[in-house]
Amino acid sequence: MVGMRWSVVDSPIGDLTLAVDETGLCRLHFGRTDRPLETDSLLTETQEQLKAYFAGELQEFTVPLSVRGGSEFERAVWAEIAKIPYGEMITYGAIATALGDPGAARAVGTACNHNPIPVIVPCHRVVGAGGKMVGFGGGIDRKRKLLELEARVALARAWS
């Protein structure tokens, strides 16, 4: 994509490829990219915030986002996902209900899978009915690790 700059950050869930444009972070992919890697202040800030998140020191990302694409429904789902507090989970059905269509849980799942900025737009916090661990573009193992990290940090903060 024209105008995008790419970088890779190492994390406990594997390499994360980041892409920024003139406005903000627009992509986060699991794994490495074959694109030329660059550095700039926004990429550096995103890398630093991700490292702090994985160290349990950051609960809310502040890097500017540049959400490209997505249908109106997908963008609405991503906006709902962005509201989920650190260390908490919500079901696909609850998001569908919040968007006014209680029967759209599967569509919410599809929108989560299309999230261009996972981890930062925390689709890992969305779970199946009864807290069932289902679906995640990065794989269930990564989802579990992200939720476990947040649960440990939230519990430590609550007890300190």
Side-chain angles (χ1 to χ4, degrees):
M1 294 185 171
V2 177
M4 292 175 64
R5 296 169 313 281
W6 299 82
S7 181
V8 174
V9 63
D10 181 42
S11 83
I13 59 170
D15 289 333
L16 303 175
T17 295
L18 313 172
V20 298
D21 62 16
E22 63 285 346
T23 307
L25 179 70
C26 51
R27 295 280 185 267
L28 186 151
H29 295 283
F30 299 102
R32 292 188 81 72
T33 183
D34 58 356
R35 298 178 187 270
L37 302 181
E38 302 178 47
T39 188
D40 68 14
S41 60
L42 182 53
L43 284 167
T44 300
E45 177 62 22
T46 305
Q47 289 173 331
E48 289 173 2
Q49 286 193 26
L50 282 164
K51 288 176 183 176
Y53 167 82
F54 285 111
E57 301 164 356
L58 179 81
Q59 287 77 50
E60 189 172 327
F61 293 96
T62 58
V63 293
L65 303 180
S66 176
V67 180
R68 296 176 170 209
S71 68
E72 184 177 326
F73 179 78
E74 287 173 328
R75 292 169 82 78
V77 168
W78 302 336
E80 280 300 308
I81 291 168
K83 297 176 189 176
I84 305 169
Y86 182 92
E88 294 185 21
M89 295 180 291
I90 191 170
T91 65
Y92 296 98
I95 290 177
T97 299
L99 294 176
D101 189 353
R106 286 184 188 259
V108 168
T110 299
C112 287
N113 191 45
H114 293 161
N115 175 7
I117 313 171
V119 180
I120 292 176
V121 176
C123 54
H124 60 278
R125 296 178 189 156
V126 185
V127 296
K132 187 174 180 184
M133 193 71 57
V134 294
F136 185 59
I140 295 296
D141 189 50
R142 282 189 179 110
K143 181 174 188 162
R144 183 173 286 109
K145 287 179 181 177
L146 291 166
L147 291 171
E148 287 172 353
L149 164 73
E150 292 185 9
R152 274 193 313 274
V153 171
L155 186 59
R157 286 183 169 269
W159 286 7
S160 62

